[in-house]
Amino acid sequence: FPDLKGIENSNIKNNSAELFLRVDGTPQNILKQLVESGTIVNRFEVKELSLNQIFIKVAEAEKWISQ
């Protein structure tokens, strides 16, 4: 989904996509962009990052800062 505004990262698996929003991205805006692009959306779910995902982001940021 390189054309979507507000997406930081994505995981595409089989017939599903997990989209990670940037700070300026909103779920409503992403859904609107998908529908307007003609993408068929069968399910749309908003989830918070897991503790593991938060830990990985913090660890990656600290690694980057220390370099």
Side-chain angles (χ1 to χ4, degrees), residues 8-67:
E8 179 178 302
N9 196 5
S10 63
N11 292 329
I12 311 299
K13 298 176 188 170
N14 300 323
N15 291 329
S16 67
E18 186 176 26
L19 306 175
F20 298 90
L21 304 183
R22 292 191 325 224
V23 175
D24 61 341
T26 65
Q28 294 78 14
N29 189 320
I30 301 305
L31 181 58
K32 179 181 176 189
Q33 291 178 73
L34 289 169
V35 171
E36 288 177 350
S37 74
T39 302
I40 297 171
V41 179
N42 293 319
R43 181 176 175 189
F44 187 82
E45 181 179 352
V46 178
K47 294 174 32 177
E48 298 291 327
L49 288 176
S50 69
L51 289 177
N52 187 49
Q53 290 168 318
I54 293 169
F55 176 78
I56 291 170
K57 285 183 80 100
V58 169
E60 288 174 347
E62 287 179 0
K63 180 180 174 184
W64 183 79
I65 290 171
S66 66
Q67 292 180 352

